[in-house]
């Protein structure tokens, strides 16, 4: 559960993180991207073997991160619902969706 988010900082289950994260069924992982403000399929390797139905991508505080069309195709092939929105909204959506469906969040905390 995401307890709170503000520019550069997120609190998940009471623990504070100051670097981009992926919240997956197997746990919380650091998230690095090939290009800082783009999400490509290679950036999703940390969740390749996860079982999930929804992928919520937080595109940053100001929504600067772009999700490439190859990611949309990747999600379609896997039968995964893809939601890409600014990170504050992504946190809210993750908390809602994760109550009913297996949900992964990939969150950029700044920009």
């Amino acid at each position: 559960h995401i307890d709170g988010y503000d520019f550069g900082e997120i609190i998940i289950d009471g623990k504070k993180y100051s670097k981009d994260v992926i919240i997956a069924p197997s746990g919380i992982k650091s998230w690095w991207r090939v290009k800082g403000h783009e999400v490509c399929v290679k950036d999703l390797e940390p969740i390749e073997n996860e079982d999930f139905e929804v992928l919520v991508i937080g595109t940053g505080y100001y929504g600067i991160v772009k999700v490439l069309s190859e990611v949309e195709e990747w999600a379609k092939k896997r039968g995964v619902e893809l939601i890409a929105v600014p990170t504050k909204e992504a946190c809210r959506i993750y908390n809602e969706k994760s109550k009913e469906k297996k949900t992964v969040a990939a969150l950029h905390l700044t920009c």
Side-chain angles (χ1 to χ4, degrees):
H1 182 264
I2 298 170
D3 304 317
Y5 164 72
D6 206 346
F7 188 92
E9 182 177 283
I10 192 165
I11 301 167
I12 305 165
D13 295 329
K15 187 173 179 196
K16 193 183 294 186
Y17 298 85
S18 56
K19 294 189 172 156
D20 295 357
V21 295
I22 292 178
I23 306 169
S26 65
I28 298 168
K29 312 162 189 276
S30 291
W31 188 34
W32 301 100
R33 287 166 310 288
V34 175
K35 292 186 178 178
H37 292 113
E38 281 184 1
V39 179
C40 67
V41 170
K42 184 160 181 52
D43 301 327
L44 302 175
E45 283 179 359
I47 57 170
E48 225 168 37
N49 298 317
E50 299 280 351
D51 178 27
F52 60 98
E53 302 163 280
V54 180
L55 172 58
V56 182
I57 297 178
T59 58
Y61 192 85
Y62 301 107
I64 290 173
V65 173
K66 295 196 180 352
V67 178
L68 301 180
S69 59
E70 68 180 44
V71 172
E72 294 171 21
E73 292 166 27
W74 177 88
K76 263 186 206 157
K77 282 181 190 166
R78 289 182 62 124
V80 167
E81 178 185 358
L82 174 64
I83 301 166
V85 293
T87 301
K88 191 169 213 57
E89 179 75 356
C91 291
R92 185 188 63 74
I93 291 170
Y94 172 82
N95 282 342
E96 268 178 28
K97 293 277 187 184
S98 64
K99 290 176 190 171
E100 300 166 7
K101 294 184 174 185
K102 294 177 199 161
T103 305
V104 167
L107 306 169
H108 179 57
L109 303 184
T110 59
C111 308

